[in-house]
Each structure stands twice: as structure tokens, then as C-alpha cells.
């Protein structure tokens, strides 16, 4: 059963049977919003990029994004860059796979971001979402839908963080500006 999350909401990632998740996929999807023009509506391709920043005690220690597809320890993997979005018509346009069992014990948070590498704002994006899927069975666990666009070029979408012996997910939905995850670091750090 999917939990439709609201900004700031946190959910436990414990399975219903009391077990822990072992592998998850953070999927991101979006579509270009139609723009009105002199000759009717048209859409422009939107290149959004998903990133996962791995933290240990509030310090960034690794990142996975379109130019570094696999974390240094191999536990986090990006499936590849999508330059236009909307390919899946509601499915994932980019995905980041996380093997929770392989994550080093010092990694305590993973922050997922999405940014417009070409500098287009979220006013030009519609149907943007992030979702967490149990990679072992394909079941969607949680979904955060971005409501309304804005004059910003990035979103700090969600974080997965250690909670006792398991993991939790928090929907952040924080707008920011920047073309890369590096540009977003000043906005990410206060959310840890």
C-alpha cells in the first residue's frame, strides 16, 4: 500500500512483518508543462537530474548523479540520465537504487535532489514526483508529488535516514536554486 506523503511527513521503512527493507529505489518522474504560444500550446524538453548525496554525521561523503553513477562503495547506483522526462507517462524517468544492507554503517542519511541542469524553472514542469519502491518486490511504499511549479530550478525532494536499527523516509519538498547538487549544498545542510 502506497503512502501519499505531504511535505515534512516521515514514514518508517520497516516491513509489515517487522522485517527491514534491504533494497529500495527512489524513482523520479516529470513532464514538461505545455506553454501557450501564438500558435497554440507546445512543450519544451526539460532535463531534470536526480542526485543522491550520502552523509555521515552531517558531512557529505559521496554522491551519485549522472556523472558518477555508482557510489564509491557500490551500495548506491543511478540508472542513467534522462534528458527529456515524461517517457514513462507517470513512470520513473530517472531512478537511484540503494542497497541498504551494503551501505557502510557510518552513512546515516541519503538526501535525494532533482535539479534542472539547463536552468529551466519548475514553472515549466508538471507531474513531478519522487517515490520509494521496495526493490525486492516492486511494491511502491511512498510517493511525494510536487504540487505546483515555481520560479526555482531545483527541489530537495526527500531523505532516507537511519532510525534505530532501521530506516525512515522524510518528504522534504524544499525548493532551491542550482543546476547541480553542489549548488544545492547550502540548502541541504539545514535539512539534515
Amino acid at each position: 500500500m502506497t503512502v501519499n506523503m505531504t511535505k515534512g511527513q516521515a514514514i518508517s521503512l520497516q516491513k509489515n512483518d517487522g522485517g527491514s527493507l534491504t533494497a529500495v529505489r527512489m524513482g523520479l518522474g516529470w513532464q514538461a508543462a505545455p506553454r501557450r504560444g501564438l500558435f497554440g500550446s507546445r512543450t519544451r524538453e526539460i532535463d531534470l537530474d536526480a542526485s543522491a548525496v550520502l552523509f555521515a554525521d552531517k558531512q557529505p561523503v559521496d554522491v551519485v548523479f549522472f556523472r558518477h553513477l555508482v557510489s564509491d562503495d557500490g551500495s548506491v547506483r543511478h540508472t542513467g540520465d534522462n534528458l527529456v522526462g515524461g517517457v514513462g507517462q507517470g513512470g520513473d524517468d530517472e531512478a537511484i537504487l540503494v542497497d541498504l544492507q551494503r551501505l557502510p554503517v557510518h552513512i546515516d542519511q541519503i538526501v535525494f535532489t532533482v535539479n534542472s541542469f539547463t536552468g529551466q524553472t519548475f514553472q515549466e514542469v508538471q507531474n513531478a514526483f519522487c517515490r520509494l519502491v521496495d526493490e525486492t518486490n516492486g511494491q511502491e511504499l511512498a510517493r511525494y508529488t510536487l504540487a505546483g511549479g515555481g520560479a526555482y530550478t531545483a527541489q530537495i525532494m526527500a531523505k532516507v535516514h537511519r532510525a534505530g536499527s532501521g530506516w525512515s523516509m522524510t518528504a522534504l519538498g524544499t525548493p532551491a536554486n542550482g543546476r547541480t547538487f553542489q549548488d544545492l549544498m547550502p540548502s541541504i545542510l539545514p535539512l539534515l
Side-chain angles (χ1 to χ4, degrees):
M1 181 172 90
T2 299
V3 175
N4 287 313
M5 299 182 73
T6 58
K7 184 175 179 173
Q9 181 180 5
I11 62 164
S12 170
L13 298 183
Q14 295 294 319
K15 288 187 173 186
N16 291 337
D17 64 7
S20 295
L21 290 171
T22 58
V24 295
R25 173 175 20 111
M26 180 64 72
L28 295 163
W30 70 91
Q31 293 175 321
R35 295 183 348 185
R36 296 237 180 253
L38 185 60
F39 301 106
S41 293
R42 61 185 177 91
T43 58
R44 185 173 155 201
E45 293 179 347
I46 304 284
D47 178 13
L48 296 183
D49 293 316
S51 301
V53 185
L54 288 68
F55 288 89
D57 197 29
K58 299 187 180 185
Q59 297 297 315
V61 295
D62 201 355
V63 66
V64 173
F65 70 116
F66 71 93
R67 289 189 179 149
H68 186 244
L69 294 176
V70 180
S71 62
D72 293 340
D73 60 40
S75 64
V76 181
R77 185 171 50 90
H78 194 297
T79 60
D81 195 13
N82 179 319
L83 301 176
V84 297
V87 173
Q89 299 299 318
D92 298 337
D93 293 311
E94 290 193 12
I96 297 174
L97 308 172
V98 181
D99 185 339
L100 296 169
Q101 293 182 316
R102 287 186 60 195
L103 271 174
V105 295
H106 69 284
I107 302 296
D108 54 9
Q109 297 185 70
I110 303 170
V111 176
F112 296 92
T113 66
V114 59
N115 54 275
S116 172
F117 187 73
T118 53
Q120 294 156 302
T121 70
F122 275 73
Q123 291 170 324
E124 300 177 65
V125 175
Q126 67 182 11
N127 302 324
F129 67 87
C130 73
R131 69 188 191 124
L132 193 71
V133 176
D134 181 342
E135 193 62 14
T136 61
N137 62 16
Q139 179 184 4
E140 182 176 289
L141 305 170
R143 177 179 286 256
Y144 175 67
T145 302
L146 174 64
Y152 45 85
T153 59
Q155 276 274 328
I156 303 164
M157 295 295 279
K159 68 178 176 178
V160 172
H161 47 99
R162 289 192 193 268
S165 62
W167 293 85
S168 290
M169 175 185 170
T170 301
L172 299 171
T174 302
N177 282 298
R179 294 179 52 232
T180 67
F181 74 90
Q182 295 101 323
D183 298 337
L184 304 180
M185 291 307 289
S187 298
I188 292 173
L189 294 175
L191 301 173
L192 300 177

